[in-house]
Amino acid sequence: MNTLLKRLPRTIRSNQWLVYGCVALVVMSCMLYVSINALLVDISESKTRFERESRIESATFLPREPFADLSTFEQDHGFAIERRREVDAAAGQGLALRVFEHTARVNIPAITSGRDLQADDEMLLGQTVATALKARLGTTMTLLGRSFTVVGFASVPDYMYPIRTTDDAGIMLDPKAFGIAVITPSAMDALAPEALATWHIRTVDGSTSTAKQELTRTVGLTFWQDLTANPRYTLATAKLEGAASVSTTMPLVILLLTCLLLAAAQGRIVRMQRAQLGTLKALGYSTWELVVHELALPAIIALAGSVLGILMSILTMRPLLDLMVSYFSIPLYVTTVPWPSIIFGLVAPVALLVPAVALVATRLLSQTPVKLMQTTVANNHVNLLERSVHLRGGSFRKRFATRTAIRGLTRLALLMLGAMLAGYLLLFGGAMRDSMDSLIRSAFRDTTYNYTYVLTAPRVENPWGGESLTIAPFTTADGRLTFQAMGLPATSTLLVPRNTKGEAIPIDRVIITRALADKLGLEVGESLAVTQTATAQDLTLTVDAVAEMYATAAVILPQSRLNSIIGAPAGSFNALFSTARLDVPSQDVVMTMSMAESKAAFDSVIEPVWIVLGLIAVFAVFIALMALSVVTTLTVEEERHSISVLKVLGYHADELNAMVLGSGIIAVVAGFAISVPLLLSSWRSLFAKTTSTMTFSLPIRLSPLSILVCFVIMLATYLVSLRAARSKVQSVGMAVSLKAARE
């Protein structure tokens, strides 16, 4: 065995591009797997502990009447209920802070750095905005004319994804424009005595149906929102679930691609050394000894790649973890060493690479020494496809290239697989850009208003102006999705629902948005069973039309009909649309939403998204370059004898390149073409699952321009990989054919 191992360094030197390319692919797969899984484990455990220790709410509500005896009501039903006041304050440089009073029983702020409040002139700054602004402890901030000193950074559990609004386009996180802060109740008395007060309830088991019934019976409800319908919580959960769905798939796909490449390469190495291996077998070496020797190379590649990948993941784990917890505003309670992921990252490459190569090596080395030393046996084998194709017409160059492609179907399959994986990643960026563009355009296309005001109670008189409407939350019969029902006047001009042709839909019927139709699988003429969230009243609606709006799952119907359904006074309203800011008292408003702020948030957030997509594109190009270069190099090595003979016959370098390497372009185009429907189908299933409980639906779009740009990048990458292969074609000497003839 020691004698056989001496051949290993020579094999590595003669196949450097193969070895280094496979090591790089293993490094990437292991680093991705360990890093993503470690992040998800730590974030998930920290999130669970955060929810438990901060006593996250089960729902938010507004009572119609005051509690007669809140303490007795809580004891009788086992609820924890606490009022929390809030006010929005400008903090300068385009930053707005939503200031909460410190709570002690529900939604308790968690200190992530510094200390808790001890005086009325102190404040806690939200972790996300503090990270974005690089704020320091001790900083003084002026809010509504009063100065506060930042003594700590904090996270609030019902603001894990701290967005300003939860309207159609307010799903974008913009930490430089919006954040949260916490002050003492006494400071809130002085800062904003008329601040909006919301109520938050926590039940023992998290269920809210009984709590809602008891509150409706006791004090009545004007507003109710379950935690599972709060985008500031559900968006964080959905994004983590989406990351979990790809945490294993993508690394394993890269690793499987590496296995196939290495198995094909090892088979080529064995075939190129048939004479030597046959001689060794004739001298007494057993098949098992020769197979074990051939497994040394994949074992070295697997171990080197996995160790380097794990080391790189450990070095980058803490910065990535800090970025994640600041983005999601979750305290980092857990920073464990992900031993299960590390062990899997070490074992998986060896467990996949070594058996794959062992199958190929065993099949070839199980032959007798005489057959192994007959080097022309493998080359003369004619497969079924080659026998069935009769190449008589056309030039010799075309017939030779076609026959080379047919004989190298395995190589072409690997080339197509590499192009398909790289094309998938490249198209990911294009699909994300096109889909986000469609989502935002659908959010702003049908709306000409700039502000939305949701009032604390229905009103009949409107002294403020704007266009009045009625909004009421509803839940599907199975309780899976909570959405808004909007009652619009027939003359509404600030929100105009449109169909697929862009035509306005009259507001004299039941209209559902495309987001709701996709989530529930509804079509025109079908029935929708819903429950009014505040009163638990069951209702069945018949869908009359579908509006092409993806940014919100909602039902639109005449205002008079919705008022009748929810029992509101005739002619009343509880929300306003306006093109200009209205002077509505803050204590009368549950929520204010600005389309301009939503657009600014989108513009701010989309910049780092492009950076991420650019990194994904670089990652895809690197994978493509590695995979395509390895396969083209294999092609040249397997055709060395033919290349040498053709050189003897007088063929030039350009002709040889076209004859030997020309068929690869077909595999690259085919792989890229397959990646388009693969991406669209996988994205639809992924986002249908992750956004099933949220009030928006992402329209999956991939424009022809994006496909063309990605294809050009893929083609350019393939041409770059061909340059290395062409130099190898030129390096093949004429003596190779003479040497083969002598053997």
Side-chain angles (χ1 to χ4, degrees):
M1 186 60 66
N2 291 334
T3 303
L4 293 176
L5 290 177
K6 292 179 180 179
R7 301 173 61 247
L8 187 59
R10 185 169 64 251
T11 302
I12 294 176
R13 285 194 300 269
S14 60
N15 298 275
Q16 292 184 21
W17 186 255
L18 166 69
V19 174
Y20 297 148
C22 290
V23 169
L25 291 174
V26 174
V27 168
M28 284 192 295
S29 62
C30 290
M31 183 178 68
L32 282 175
Y33 178 81
V34 175
S35 297
I36 296 177
N37 280 275
L39 289 176
L40 292 176
V41 169
D42 290 348
I43 290 293
S44 297
E45 293 185 6
S46 295
K47 177 176 176 289
T48 302
R49 179 176 170 182
F50 180 36
E51 295 176 5
R52 182 180 65 253
E53 295 187 356
S54 291
R55 298 178 61 80
I56 190 171
E57 66 178 38
S58 301
T60 299
F61 68 94
L62 290 177
R64 190 181 302 274
E65 303 291 339
F67 285 95
D69 189 343
L70 178 59
S71 177
T72 301
F73 180 80
E74 289 179 308
Q75 293 177 2
D76 291 344
H77 300 93
F79 303 147
I81 301 176
E82 188 169 15
R83 188 189 70 161
R84 185 180 70 185
R85 290 174 293 175
E86 62 184 61
V87 64
D88 287 355
Q93 298 180 349
L95 173 64
L97 291 179
R98 182 155 297 162
V99 185
F100 302 106
E101 64 178 332
H102 200 293
T103 53
R105 303 175 63 234
V106 182
N107 292 332
I108 306 170
I111 310 299
T112 59
S113 182
R115 60 173 176 82
D116 206 347
L117 301 175
Q118 297 178 355
D120 293 341
D121 61 348
E122 297 177 346
M123 65 179 288
L124 302 175
L125 188 61
Q127 174 178 288
T128 302
V129 66
T131 302
L133 299 179
K134 299 181 180 179
R136 297 182 179 181
L137 297 176
T139 301
T140 300
M141 303 183 72
T142 301
L143 304 176
L144 300 179
R146 292 176 58 89
S147 296
F148 293 90
T149 301
V150 178
V151 297
F153 302 140
S155 297
V156 178
D158 61 328
Y159 272 73
M160 287 187 190
Y161 190 74
I163 51 179
R164 184 195 304 262
T165 66
T166 58
D167 64 321
D168 297 354
I171 58 175
M172 294 296 175
L173 179 65
D174 186 7
K176 291 185 178 180
F178 176 77
I180 61 173
V182 181
I183 60 177
T184 64
S186 299
M188 182 64 77
D189 292 336
L191 183 68
E194 300 296 330
L196 172 68
T198 56
W199 293 77
H200 306 266
I201 182 171
R202 177 179 171 85
T203 61
V204 176
D205 57 357
S207 62
T208 59
S209 57
T210 302
K212 185 163 56 176
Q213 293 174 2
E214 292 297 330
L215 288 169
T216 301
R217 181 181 60 83
T218 306
V219 295
L221 295 173
T222 61
F223 174 81
W224 179 274
Q225 183 184 61
D226 286 315
L227 179 66
T228 54
N230 180 3
R232 298 181 177 102
Y233 174 80
T234 56
L235 281 173
T237 304
K239 288 175 181 290
L240 291 174
E241 291 177 353
S245 64
V246 299
S247 62
T248 302
T249 305
M250 185 59 67
L252 283 181
V253 168
I254 298 174
L255 196 57
L256 288 174
L257 174 62
T258 308
C259 292
L260 295 174
L261 290 174
L262 191 57
Q266 197 75 11
R268 193 268 304 171
I269 292 173
V270 172
R271 286 192 293 271
M272 295 296 293
Q273 299 177 351
R274 291 172 64 94
Q276 298 92 323
L277 294 172
T279 303
L280 291 173
K281 196 169 185 180
L283 292 174
Y285 285 95
S286 65
T287 301
W288 172 247
E289 289 176 310
L290 295 177
V291 170
V292 170
H293 163 65
E294 297 300 329
L295 297 181
L297 181 60
I300 291 175
I301 291 174
L303 290 175
S306 59
V307 171
L308 289 174
I310 289 172
L311 291 177
M312 292 179 65
S313 66
I314 291 175
L315 292 175
T316 59
M317 195 177 301
R318 183 66 196 205
L320 290 175
L321 194 57
D322 291 338
L323 178 64
M324 288 279 285
V325 296
S326 65
Y327 181 79
F328 288 117
S329 191
I330 297 174
L332 184 59
Y333 293 117
V334 181
T335 54
T336 58
V337 177
W339 290 114
S341 300
I342 289 177
I343 293 173
F344 184 84
L346 285 172
V347 173
V350 178
L352 291 176
L353 289 177
V354 173
V357 174
L359 290 174
V360 176
T362 301
R363 183 176 63 85
L364 294 173
L365 294 175
S366 60
Q367 301 176 31
T368 63
V370 175
K371 286 188 177 182
L372 282 173
M373 287 186 285
Q374 292 175 347
T375 57
T376 59
V377 171
N379 295 331
N380 288 337
H381 177 70
V382 179
N383 58 41
L384 179 61
L385 181 60
E386 187 177 356
R387 288 197 302 268
S388 62
V389 176
H390 303 285
L391 300 175
R392 295 188 178 90
S395 63
F396 171 75
R397 290 173 53 182
K398 292 182 179 179
R399 295 201 306 272
F400 181 87
T402 304
R403 186 175 290 108
T404 301
I406 294 174
R407 290 181 176 179
L409 290 178
T410 302
R411 296 194 306 266
L412 291 180
L414 292 175
L415 198 62
M416 185 174 65
L417 181 61
M420 184 175 66
L421 176 60
Y424 184 96
L425 293 176
L426 282 173
L427 291 168
F428 175 87
M432 175 63 78
R433 184 186 68 83
D434 295 337
S435 299
M436 291 298 295
D437 182 64
S438 297
L439 175 66
I440 299 305
R441 279 193 291 105
S442 72
F444 298 127
R445 180 188 60 183
D446 301 326
T447 57
T448 56
Y449 59 87
N450 294 325
Y451 297 92
T452 303
Y453 298 87
V454 180
L455 307 179
T456 56
R459 300 295 183 98
V460 177
E461 299 294 332
N462 180 12
W464 308 294
E467 187 176 280
S468 62
L469 69 152
T470 301
I471 297 178
F474 281 80
T475 306
T476 54
D478 57 4
R480 183 172 58 90
L481 178 67
T482 299
F483 57 91
Q484 297 286 352
M486 292 188 290
L488 299 179
T491 57
S492 176
T493 58
L494 299 184
L495 174 58
V496 181
R498 300 181 185 276
N499 57 23
T500 55
K501 298 179 180 179
E503 301 170 343
I505 304 174
I507 307 174
D508 58 359
R509 64 199 70 184
V510 176
I511 308 167
I512 65 172
T513 62
R514 176 60 62 186
L516 184 61
D518 289 346
K519 291 178 184 300
L520 303 181
L522 293 174
E523 296 181 359
V524 174
E526 296 184 343
S527 298
L528 170 62
V530 297
T531 302
Q532 187 182 350
T533 305
T535 62
Q537 175 188 356
D538 294 329
L539 180 69
T540 300
L541 300 172
T542 300
V543 178
D544 298 319
V546 177
E548 294 302 307
M549 300 172 64
Y550 288 89
T552 181
V555 173
I556 301 172
L557 64 164
Q559 186 175 16
S560 58
R561 183 174 179 182
L562 181 58
N563 284 339
S564 176
I565 290 173
I566 64 176
S572 66
F573 63 93
N574 64 356
L576 294 169
F577 286 155
S578 175
T579 56
R581 187 178 294 275
L582 303 178
D583 188 20
V584 184
S586 59
Q587 66 270 21
D588 295 331
V589 180
V590 176
M591 186 183 305
T592 301
M593 297 171 282
S594 169
M595 297 297 285
E597 292 171 350
S598 297
K599 291 179 181 179
F602 173 76
D603 294 336
S604 175
V605 171
I606 206 65
E607 293 179 3
V609 169
W610 298 144
I611 296 176
V612 173
L613 296 181
L615 293 176
I616 293 176
V618 172
F619 183 69
V621 169
F622 181 76
I623 290 179
L625 188 60
M626 291 293 102
L628 300 180
S629 297
V630 168
V631 175
T632 52
T633 302
L634 287 176
T635 303
V636 175
E637 293 297 331
E638 291 191 2
E639 299 294 337
R640 286 174 64 86
H641 179 264
S642 298
I643 294 171
S644 178
V645 172
L646 292 173
K647 280 189 174 183
V648 171
L649 295 176
Y651 283 89
H652 299 292
D654 293 339
E655 295 175 311
L656 291 174
N657 291 331
M659 295 167 67
V660 177
L661 303 174
S663 59
I665 188 65
I666 300 175
V668 173
V669 173
F672 184 84
I674 294 174
S675 67
V676 175
L678 180 64
L679 174 78
L680 294 177
S681 61
S682 62
W683 261 47
R684 287 191 179 97
S685 60
L686 173 63
F687 282 101
K689 177 182 178 182
T690 55
T691 63
S692 60
T693 59
M694 291 185 286
T695 58
F696 74 95
S697 178
L698 186 65
I700 306 303
R701 299 287 185 267
L702 187 59
S703 66
L705 179 60
S706 296
I707 296 176
L708 178 61
V709 171
C710 293
F711 177 71
V712 170
I713 295 175
M714 172 63 69
L715 190 60
T717 304
Y718 176 65
L719 295 178
V720 170
S721 70
L722 285 183
R723 293 189 64 87
R726 287 173 178 173
S727 63
K728 286 184 173 292
V729 170
Q730 296 175 4
S731 66
V732 177
M734 298 182 184
V736 173
S737 59
L738 299 176
K739 181 180 178 181
R742 287 197 302 269
E743 292 177 349

